[in-house]
Amino acid sequence: MSKGIYVATLEPNSGKSIIVLGLMRMLLGKTPKVGYFRPIIEHDTTGAKDNHINTVTSFFDIPISYKDTYAFTRHEVLDLYNRGKAGDVINKVIEAYKSLETQFDFILVEGTDFSHENSSLELDINLLISKNLGLPVIMVAQGGDNAVDDILENVQLAYNTFKEDVNVISIIANKIAPNDVSVLKEKLTKRITDATEIAVIPKIKSLASPTIKEVIKTLGGKVLFGKHAINNQAQHYSVGAMQLRNYLTHLKANALVITPGDRADIILGALQANSSKNYPKISGIVLTGGLIPEAPILKLIEGLSSVVPIISVQQGTFNVTNSIGKIKSRIYAENTEKIEVSISTFEKYVDTKRLAEALIGFKSKTITPRMFQYNLLQRALKHKKHIVLPEGHDARVLKAAARLLEQQVVDLTLIGELSIIKTILTEEDISLQLEHLNIVSPQQSPNFDDYVQTFYELRKHKNINLDMARDAMADVSYFATMMIYKGHADGMVSGAAHTTAHTLRPALQFIKTKPGVNIVSSVFFMCLEDRVSVFGDCAINPNPNAEQLAEIAVSSARTAENFGIHPKVALLSYSSGASGKGEDVDKVRQATEIAKTKAPDLKIEGPIQYDAAVDIRVGKSKLPNSDVAGQASVLIFPDLNTGNNTYKAVQRETGALAIGPMLQGLNKPVNDLSRGCTVDDIYSTVIITAIQAQDL
């Protein structure tokens, strides 16, 4: 079984970063510890870290020292080759790789860049390294402006060279003209007839566009304004040389405006157009000729509420335009938007399941937080569900929605007023494509009267009249919950701006509980450093009795199973085993026996103290014959006071990600957020809600 994979490119500018980022995300979802290695990197005279290494290791938080991530610089390799010491190169690469092999379960090896001459030599070096490391290879080709048949012949030639010495498990053609994608994939599949996986990725415009930061670096520019937005992408550029009234007609979305620094009319006109609803947003402004606007103009710009990056360069307009046109955009660590787009592009066009099966011949016994989150995303992507978010006027909700739509995880409905949402998007600089989601104002909805009538019929036995039903349906939580009841949405996530009671009351009134379920409870998925634990109930039930506590334990164990966590259930108390006495510990002892009767297939222990449940040394000393002690993955707290405080303490003191609370027992998924939730909390909760909806 191989412990690594080698990514080899066939030519310059292949877009290898998309493949590496996508592979790393995939591998971290399948394998606990993934290392990263580049045998040969570029030499940087400034002493800066290699951009590829910095991007991958920082974004995925890989615990590896920089010096361990590479063996040579390009100059060192060429010097050794010129002195007839090519063998020394391979020896050191093998040594460096084997050192990493002892630290990681799997290693992603990224070949050289082909960014200079001697590309034929680099092709040979990549083949030699992959062969000597005994690694299977993913070959990456790029389309450029080449015809389909030319790309096909190029790939076939390289494949024939590699397959003689290494196992090529996948061929990925990248940057292909969108109209050629299906044709090229069909021809490659017919030409490469063995088990090699074939994937074809189209050219993605947003990934090819340079950022303002790259423009600054290329031109040696000075940032005058808008430094916070230098990751803006310049998808177009145009020179502002004509009069303003004529130039405005040439503006395009995300365009970079190039104009002499003394053209105050173009500068202010472009900024005003950027703020206007009638013109597209621009990415930035480049002031040429070393000219800086006069003091009154600078003062005017300083007072604007939102300013795109404005940079000053010494070169003339003609030279600046030519230089920008030649920029080859890169992906770097700070540009998380491009990284996420790269990963989602890879996952969209590459069969990650089959590729992972080909790469990894074992299944880990543990599930790490990164693996857990990856698996959640993959499950949600398999069968897209429709989730309603009632708090459409909350900036955190809008930011999470933008991320979810960018990754195409779910379909979304936001409850709120369109005009207010647009204002928030502008004020918070949130890039949310409104045309890709549904925005509903309850009383303006064509379904409003039907919802009112339905609620009235469901609750008239509780003395609800039509006026009361109309008032209820004007409430965002009631309206969103009714969307689920009527089948117009699959699940709801709320609570960022509302109490738990406000979120859950309508669900309890007419969504109701599943057959055989007597109590609605909740769990948190606690993503600790090396494992994921399930904590329940930390959000709903203040003081459950023994029967209720047993039901919470069984429900939480089934939830853990459903989300890929092998359940070993610990019912927590202030004593372990038979040592303690008292009403509280007796309740836990009774609940444990009831739970064992309800679910004899589960491994359940209780009462047990927290340290004995999670620490193998303490567990074996206190309960030496227990199958759960020291290994508990599902921890059930005796009351809400204990559970809520414990989960928050663990979260704050360890830095763990707490996903949830996820509610258990309802007929359809409704999940509550904390009012202090983050964008990541909302994002994760929507994903688990979508997965719950898949299981109905």
Side-chain angles (χ1 to χ4, degrees), residues 218-247:
T218 300
L219 301 177
K222 177 184 177 182
V223 182
L224 303 180
F225 300 97
K227 189 174 183 179
H228 67 283
I230 60 173
N231 284 327
N232 285 357
Q233 295 177 20
Q235 296 185 5
H236 308 277
Y237 58 91
S238 61
V239 176
M242 58 186 70
Q243 291 189 18
L244 178 61
R245 65 176 181 269
N246 296 319
Y247 180 68

Side-chain angles (χ1 to χ4, degrees), residues 427-439:
E427 291 175 348
E428 298 287 336
D429 194 24
I430 302 170
S431 180
L432 176 59
Q433 303 298 318
L434 296 180
E435 64 271 19
H436 294 153
L437 53 74
N438 185 33
I439 297 176

Side-chain angles (χ1 to χ4, degrees), residues 88-361:
D88 290 355
V89 174
I90 299 301
N91 289 340
K92 184 175 179 180
V93 167
I94 293 174
E95 179 183 353
Y97 175 82
K98 289 297 182 182
S99 175
L100 291 180
E101 210 174 32
T102 63
Q103 304 172 45
F104 297 94
D105 298 317
F106 201 92
I107 303 169
L108 173 56
V109 183
E110 180 181 350
T112 54
D113 293 325
F114 295 93
S115 55
H116 297 278
E117 296 179 1
N118 299 316
S119 60
S120 60
L121 173 61
E122 294 191 48
L123 186 66
D124 291 338
I125 291 175
N126 280 326
L127 178 56
L128 191 61
I129 292 174
S130 58
K131 177 182 177 180
N132 280 276
L133 294 180
L135 297 179
V137 170
I138 294 177
M139 287 173 35
V140 183
Q142 66 107 353
D145 296 323
N146 297 324
V148 168
D149 287 340
D150 291 336
I151 300 170
L152 185 65
E153 292 302 325
N154 183 37
V155 170
Q156 178 74 70
L157 182 63
Y159 174 74
N160 290 342
T161 301
F162 270 78
K163 73 173 184 178
E164 295 297 320
D165 295 302
V166 297
N167 179 21
V168 180
I169 66 166
S170 179
I171 296 171
I172 301 177
N174 193 19
K175 296 185 177 181
I176 305 302
N179 292 336
D180 293 337
V181 169
S182 59
V183 176
L184 179 59
K185 185 167 185 178
E186 182 181 354
K187 289 191 174 185
L188 279 172
T189 304
K190 288 181 178 179
R191 184 74 70 89
I192 311 296
T193 56
D194 58 17
T196 302
E197 287 292 317
I198 304 293
V200 179
I201 300 175
K203 188 180 296 183
I204 307 297
K205 187 173 184 179
S206 62
L207 295 178
S209 302
T211 62
I212 304 301
K213 179 177 179 179
E214 290 174 305
V215 172
I216 294 168
K217 182 177 181 180
T218 300
L219 301 177
K222 177 184 177 182
V223 182
L224 303 180
F225 300 97
K227 189 174 183 179
H228 67 283
I230 60 173
N231 284 327
N232 285 357
Q233 295 177 20
Q235 296 185 5
H236 308 277
Y237 58 91
S238 61
V239 176
M242 58 186 70
Q243 291 189 18
L244 178 61
R245 65 176 181 269
N246 296 319
Y247 180 68
L248 288 175
T249 64
H250 293 276
L251 283 180
K252 296 181 179 179
N254 301 314
L256 180 63
V257 176
I258 305 169
T259 189
D262 58 356
R263 287 295 302 271
D265 59 332
I266 296 293
I267 299 167
L268 296 178
L271 290 173
Q272 186 62 40
N274 185 65
S275 300
S276 172
K277 296 179 180 179
N278 297 327
Y279 286 90
K281 298 283 186 182
I282 62 173
S283 60
I285 302 175
V286 177
L287 307 181
T288 64
L291 299 172
I292 303 295
E294 295 176 347
I297 304 300
L298 293 175
K299 185 176 181 180
L300 180 59
I301 297 172
E302 283 179 347
L304 296 176
S305 59
S306 177
V307 181
V308 297
I310 301 177
I311 66 174
S312 174
V313 299
Q314 295 298 316
Q315 302 95 313
T317 302
F318 179 81
N319 289 334
V320 165
T321 305
N322 283 339
S323 297
I324 291 174
K326 295 177 182 177
I327 294 175
K328 300 294 184 184
S329 182
R330 299 192 305 167
I331 297 171
Y332 48 88
E334 298 83 4
N335 196 339
T336 55
E337 183 177 346
K338 271 195 175 183
I339 294 174
E340 290 290 354
V341 171
S342 297
I343 293 171
S344 62
T345 298
F346 177 87
E347 292 175 340
K348 182 176 181 179
Y349 292 98
V350 176
D351 189 336
T352 55
K353 181 179 180 180
R354 291 185 61 181
L355 185 58
E357 289 173 352
L359 282 176
I360 305 170

Side-chain angles (χ1 to χ4, degrees), residues 277 418-428:
K277 296 179 180 179
L418 179 60
S419 60
I420 296 175
I421 290 173
K422 284 184 174 180
T423 299
I424 297 171
L425 294 179
T426 300
E427 291 175 348
E428 298 287 336

